[in-house]
Amino acid sequence: MPRMMLAARIADLLGDRLGLDPDRRDVLAYGVEILVSNLASLGAALAGAWLLGCLPEAAAFLLAVGLVRPWAGGAHCTSAARCALLTGVTVPLLARLAGELAPRAVLCGPWPLAAACGAALVVIWRLAPVASAARPFFGTGERLRFRRLARVAAAVAAVAVLTVWHLDPAGRGASLALAGAAGLLWEALVLSRPGHRLVGRVDRLLETLLGR
Amino acid sequence: MLRRTGTWLAGLLAGVLVLVAQAGVGPLCTWGWYQPETPRALRK
C-alpha cells in the first residue's frame, strides 16, 4: 500500500537532511501517517459531535471504542481521508441517537442496556482479535496476547457503561451509558464478516464518489 | 549555524516520528478506521 503523499514528502525531506536509507524513511512516513490519520479521524468525530450538540456522548462512544479496538482490531478503510469521513459521520450520528433514545431507555430500566453490552461482549469474546493485511500478527504468542487484552478491555468497558448508568440514570448517565454501549456494539460489528462487508462497501462507495 | 540548527531540528522531529511509529505498531490497530501498512523495519 503506497504511503500518503504528505507522509512520503515529510519523510523524504527529513531523510535527505539526515542521510537516511529507504527503510528508515519508511518508518518516518509511517509515523506521519499514524499521527495524521488518527488526528483527522478524532477531529472529524469531535467536530461532527459539536455540530450535532452531543460532544459528551461522542466522547463516551470514542472511549469505549478506543479501549477495545487497539487489541481487538477489525475492519478498516483503505485511506485516511475516507476513514476520517466515515468516523466524522458515524460517531456523531450514533452519539446523537444515544442522546435522543436516553429518555425512553430510562423508562425500560437497565436490562436492555445490559443485554446490548452482553451481546457485544459475546461477539468480541468469540471473534477478537481480527488482524489486517497492513498489521498482521507478528509471532504466535501475539494473537493470544491480543485476545486476552481485547476480552479484558471489553469487560472493563461494559462494566464502566453499566456503572455510569447506575450512577446517574435520570440525568446524563443514561445517554453516556447508551453511547458507550453503542461504541461496544459498533466495535463488535466491525469484527464480524458483515461488518467487514459494510465497511468495505462504504469505502468503495466513497472512493467512487470522491476519488482516491 | 542555521544549517546545524536545521539538522538538529530534523533529528528531533525524526526521533518523535520514530517513537510514534513504534507506539503505532504495538497494538493491533490504532484508534481510527485506517491502518497504514507496517514498515518492513518494524515487522518483528
Side-chain angles (χ1 to χ4, degrees), chain A residues 3 17 23 26 28 30-31 33-34 38 41-42 62 66 69-70 76-80 83 87 129-130 134-136 146 186, chain B residues 3 7 10-11 13-14 17-18 20-21 24-41 43-44:
Chain A
R3 296 272 174 231
R17 172 70 82 160
D23 271 353
D26 195 35
L28 298 186
Y30 175 74
E33 277 197 310
I34 291 277
N38 280 285
S41 296
L42 197 60
L62 292 171
R69 188 163 169 80
H76 290 288
C77 292
T78 53
S79 93
C83 159
T87 313
V130 176
R135 200 318 191 172
F146 281 135
W186 176 258
Chain B
R3 190 177 167 75
T7 307
L13 182 55
L17 289 176
V18 168
V20 170
V25 88
L28 193 53
C29 67
T30 54
W31 171 86
W33 308 108
Y34 169 68
Q35 183 64 28
E37 181 87 32
T38 306
R40 203 171 40 184
R43 287 176 183 253
K44 292 165 253 176

Side-chain angles (χ1 to χ4, degrees), chain A residues 54 57-58 61 92-103 105 174-182:
Chain A
C54 55
E57 286 80 11
F61 183 100
L93 281 181
L94 290 172
R96 178 76 204 198
L97 187 65
E100 294 294 329
L101 289 178
S175 63
L176 293 178
L178 280 183

